[in-house]
Amino acid sequence: MQSVRDDAVEITKSSFVFDCLSLNYVLDEPYAEACLTAGVNATNVTFAAEQDWESTLRSFETSLRKIEASPLLHLALNSADIERAAKEGKLAVMPGTQGASMIDDQLWRVSLLFRLGLRFIGLTYSQSNKLGAGCGELNDAGLSFLGKDFIAAVNELPMFLDLSHTGRQSRRQAIELAANPTFTHANAFSVNPNDRNVKDEELGAVVAKGGMIGLCCVTRTVRKTQATVSDLIDHADHITSRFGVASCGLGLDYSDGLIASKTQPPESIRWRSLRPDIWGTNDDFFNLKYPKGVETIAGLSNLTAALIDRGYSREQIEAILGGNWLRSIRRVVG
């Protein structure tokens, strides 16, 4: 759904926009072009989830090859790369993971993935791994000793530790230990008490370390029933009123490329079967639309319009759309 609001389109297109969670189908030309057309300049793309080492390396190789071959994409290792891509009209891609199973007990792998471009590494996906507990688990366990060693290894590098899918106790312990904790794609538990969402004390602790949160469009995290863009902005209002505008960005987490190809990842099938209260059912994956007004990235300017209607200034909107993430990336990555 495209915006008919000229003021919102103008602000979106003239702003720097960073979406801090995209799936790797955006590396394919139709979706990369859709991001650019909507106004997105840069994005954190999930190169791997909870995968073994060999399949992770294959995923990185495939993704890096796509970026090299594409006239629309630019690999971004730092803020200068992001700004260069924006000037060239290309989509800057900053690699990330959702989970760290591939590290196992071989902590040297963190450094190697960093050399391959990794800048956002997830501690867990929704399940537990050898490092800590995921947000989907019923047993709210803390970090393992290996998990603490893993965080120390991440701290040695200019990269983010993403805690978006991590369980409560592991999340609290990780925030305390991590140099650069963040939530790439999550919403406020106080607005919608979903176990995937972030509690105020968790976000406050992350913000105190310079981290932030990216507003997520996954419908069940926005609202228990069919959500709208206005419901998404309720999360922005809560976050910015409690922690300041500088703490809030975008991490939209669209799945339209998967839905169009009728492809549901195995981890999605598993967790929608186990915890439909968090993510919805497997039927919902294909049939419960993203929030009305922002069903796909084409509706990005509708998010801007909703921020205008809530009284955010142009400067504040520019910060939420991407300025805050760019500042954070400069601080952490360079």
Side-chain angles (χ1 to χ4, degrees):
M1 177 180 178
Q2 293 183 327
S3 175
V4 295
R5 287 272 299 272
D6 290 342
D7 57 342
V9 171
E10 188 277 323
I11 291 176
T12 305
K13 293 297 181 71
S14 64
S15 299
F16 170 80
V17 178
F18 189 95
D19 180 0
C20 206
L21 202 286
S22 292
L23 302 181
N24 62 6
Y25 67 80
V26 303
L27 303 180
D28 296 331
E29 188 164 324
Y31 295 101
E33 190 168 13
C35 287
L36 289 166
T37 300
V40 179
N41 302 106
T43 182
N44 160 36
V45 174
T46 300
F47 277 30
E50 296 284 21
Q51 299 168 218
D52 62 30
W53 181 239
E54 184 177 350
S55 66
T56 295
L57 291 181
R58 284 200 302 268
S59 294
F60 266 74
E61 170 60 15
T62 299
S63 298
L64 292 171
R65 248 191 299 114
K66 284 185 176 183
I67 294 169
E68 288 176 359
S70 173
L72 302 178
L73 303 174
H74 184 91
L75 179 65
L77 304 182
N78 51 44
S79 60
D81 287 339
I82 290 173
E83 291 171 310
R84 185 178 306 114
K87 289 179 181 177
E88 295 174 358
K90 294 183 178 182
L91 181 67
V93 175
M94 188 161 271
T97 72
Q98 294 192 63
S101 291
M102 73 290 291
I103 303 302
D104 200 55
D105 61 356
Q106 304 298 305
L107 297 178
W108 58 268
R109 292 175 177 175
V110 176
S111 178
L112 178 56
L113 291 179
F114 177 82
R115 290 175 183 270
L116 292 176
L118 185 67
R119 295 297 182 267
F120 292 89
I121 188 165
L123 176 61
T124 68
Y125 189 60
S126 302
Q127 67 267 47
S128 295
N129 56 27
K130 289 185 177 181
L131 310 176
C135 65
E137 297 284 1
L138 298 179
N139 180 21
D140 187 20
L143 295 172
S144 65
F145 286 115
L146 179 61
K148 294 178 180 180
D149 291 340
F150 163 78
I151 292 173
V154 173
N155 286 347
E156 292 177 1
L157 298 163
M159 63 193 305
F160 295 91
L161 182 67
D162 181 14
L163 303 174
S164 298
H165 278 269
T166 303
R168 302 288 174 204
Q169 183 66 11
S170 290
R171 184 181 280 175
R172 287 192 291 269
Q173 294 174 352
I175 293 168
E176 183 177 344
L177 295 173
N180 299 299
T182 205
F183 299 108
T184 59
H185 60 301
N187 290 319
F189 186 90
S190 291
V191 176
N192 181 27
N194 179 306
D195 283 341
R196 173 67 174 74
N197 286 341
V198 176
K199 292 188 174 182
D200 286 354
E201 58 267 29
E202 298 164 348
L203 182 53
V206 162
V207 170
K209 287 194 163 187
M212 44 182 293
I213 186 170
L215 298 171
C216 179
C217 276
V218 174
T219 294
R220 284 297 182 95
T221 69
V222 178
R223 187 183 179 190
K224 289 181 181 179
T225 56
Q226 180 63 63
T228 68
V229 64
S230 180
D231 297 315
L232 183 65
I233 303 307
D234 288 344
H235 291 270
D237 285 349
H238 178 80
I239 292 163
T240 59
S241 65
R242 288 293 305 272
F243 306 104
V245 170
S247 67
C248 188
L250 306 181
L252 301 175
D253 195 10
Y254 283 113
S255 298
D256 41 313
L258 300 178
I259 294 168
S261 65
K262 295 181 168 52
T263 303
Q264 186 179 4
E267 61 269 22
S268 173
I269 295 172
R270 174 174 171 77
W271 285 104
R272 285 174 179 269
S273 299
L274 293 171
R275 296 295 305 272
D277 56 311
I278 297 179
W279 288 280
T281 66
N282 284 302
D283 183 67
D284 287 340
F285 181 82
F286 292 105
N287 296 305
L288 183 63
K289 293 185 180 300
Y290 274 64
K292 185 177 180 181
V294 285
E295 293 92 340
T296 71
I297 197 63
L300 180 60
S301 291
N302 291 329
L303 189 153
T304 302
L307 289 169
I308 294 170
D309 291 344
R310 292 290 179 95
Y312 289 82
S313 69
R314 185 187 185 103
E315 182 180 9
Q316 290 172 327
I317 293 170
E318 289 173 348
I320 292 169
L321 289 178
N324 288 335
W325 277 123
L326 185 58
R327 184 199 68 248
S328 191
I329 289 167
R330 276 201 200 101
R331 179 182 65 82
V332 174
V333 179

